[in-house]
Amino acid sequence: MLKIIDLHSFYGKSHIIQGLSLEVNKGEIVSLLGRNGVGRSTTIKSIMGMVKANGSIKFENKEILGKQIHEISNLGLAYVSEHRDIFPDLTVLENLELGKKNNSSENPWNIDELFSLFPNLKNRKNVPGGVLSGGEQQMLTICRSLLGNPKLIMIDEPTEGLSPKMVENVETLLKKISEKKVSILLVEQKLSIAFNLSNRVYVMGHGKVVFDGTVEEVKNNKVIIKDWLEV
C-alpha cells in the first residue's frame, strides 16, 4: 500500500532523513522505532508532503512525493500529529464534523459508532475541545481523522503523557482500526505498546533504517535493542 524508496528529507540545509526505505501493507500496523531525534516524525511529515524531500513515496502504486498536503489526504492518507491539533474553541461534536468528507456514506466509521467506543467523548460532545484532558484530545484527534475514511493513518506518539487507562483506550482504538483493514504507521516511544500492537517494526538511527523485521525478531536482537532503542 505504502512504499518508500531512498527517501532524503531536509530542514533547510540539515539533511535529516538519509536514504530511508520502508513499506506498509494493507491492514498492517507497522511501528517506526528509535530514540528521539532520529527522524521518525520527519519521516511521517515527509510522506504527508510537509517536509522538503526527494526519492520515491508511492501510495497504492501512485507517486505522491511532490504533491500538496490536501492532494495526499484526498488519496486516503491521514496524519495525527503528536501535538493533538484540535480546534480548542469548537465543541467535540464540531471538531468531529470537520473530519467528514464527501464520501461519508461509504465510510465504515461514523460519529455514533465512535461515541459508543468512547462514552467520555459522547458525554462531552458539547464541551469545547480545549478543556478536554490530554487523553481525550488524543482520542478526539484520532476519531476526527477516521471520519475522513482513510486507507492508511499515520500516528505520532499517541500515548505520550497519557494515564494508563487512556493508554489502554488508545490501544483498543488502534486495534479496532486495524480490524477494519485500515493500515497504521505508528511512531511510539513505549516499546511495550509498539510490540503489543505491531505486525512489523522498523528501527531508525541517524536518519535511516538500521533494522526491520517482526516483533519477535527485534525482541530477540539484543544488539539492536542496546545500540538503537535503549535510553
Side-chain angles (χ1 to χ4, degrees):
M1 176 168 279
L2 176 71
K3 188 168 186 176
I4 301 173
I5 299 174
D6 196 27
L7 181 69
H8 295 259
S9 303
F10 304 84
Y11 287 122
K13 294 183 179 179
S14 297
H15 190 178
I16 307 299
I17 305 301
Q18 303 182 22
L20 177 142
S21 297
L22 64 79
E23 60 184 66
V24 181
N25 299 312
K26 185 174 179 62
E28 276 193 314
I29 300 179
V30 175
S31 284
L32 200 53
L33 307 179
R35 297 190 180 107
N36 288 334
V38 298
R40 296 169 302 152
S41 297
T42 302
T43 298
I44 289 182
K45 290 177 181 178
S46 300
I47 297 167
M48 208 65 204
M50 302 169 69
V51 175
K52 178 185 175 184
N54 57 56
S56 176
I57 304 174
K58 289 186 177 179
F59 182 65
E60 294 188 319
N61 295 318
K62 298 176 182 176
E63 184 63 55
I64 63 171
L65 188 62
K67 290 185 178 294
Q68 298 296 311
I69 296 173
H70 70 275
E71 294 175 313
I72 295 171
S73 175
N74 287 338
L75 290 173
L77 281 87
Y79 166 54
V80 178
S81 85
E82 60 187 317
H83 303 299
R84 300 164 191 164
D85 297 323
I86 63 164
F87 295 92
D89 296 328
L90 299 182
T91 66
V92 167
L93 186 57
E94 288 168 338
N95 268 278
L96 290 173
E97 291 285 351
L98 287 174
K100 290 183 177 180
K101 291 185 178 178
N102 293 332
N103 60 359
S104 57
S105 62
E106 304 169 7
N107 195 344
W109 302 96
N110 60 68
I111 290 176
D112 288 339
E113 178 183 11
L114 294 171
F115 277 160
S116 71
L117 289 173
F118 303 105
N120 281 358
L121 289 184
K122 182 177 182 179
N123 294 338
R124 311 194 76 184
K125 66 181 181 181
N126 296 316
V127 171
V131 305
L132 300 180
S133 70
E136 290 169 334
Q137 289 184 2
Q138 184 63 274
M139 303 313 300
L140 176 58
T141 307
I142 296 173
C143 289
R144 185 182 63 193
S145 296
L146 291 174
L147 290 170
N149 195 17
K151 299 173 185 176
L152 185 152
I153 184 168
M154 301 179 290
I155 309 177
D156 195 352
E157 299 282 13
T159 66
E160 179 67 27
L162 302 189
S163 68
K165 179 60 178 176
M166 290 308 300
V167 169
E168 287 181 18
N169 288 343
V170 170
E171 286 192 77
T172 297
L173 178 55
L174 296 185
K175 288 176 181 177
K176 288 185 179 296
I177 293 171
S178 181
E179 287 169 4
K180 294 202 177 186
K181 303 303 180 184
V182 178
S183 303
I184 299 172
L185 181 58
L186 176 67
V187 170
E188 178 54 64
Q189 195 66 27
K190 298 180 179 69
L191 293 183
S192 60
I193 294 170
F195 289 163
N196 186 41
L197 288 170
S198 303
N199 301 106
R200 295 185 298 110
V201 300
Y202 289 87
V203 180
M204 287 187 65
H206 304 311
K208 61 182 67 177
V209 170
V210 296
F211 176 89
D212 69 273
T214 66
V215 169
E216 286 306 312
E217 285 171 339
V218 73
K219 278 183 175 180
N220 293 329
N221 195 317
K222 304 303 182 185
V223 173
I224 289 294
I225 290 176
K226 181 179 183 295
D227 289 351
W228 301 104
L229 294 175
E230 287 182 348
V231 177

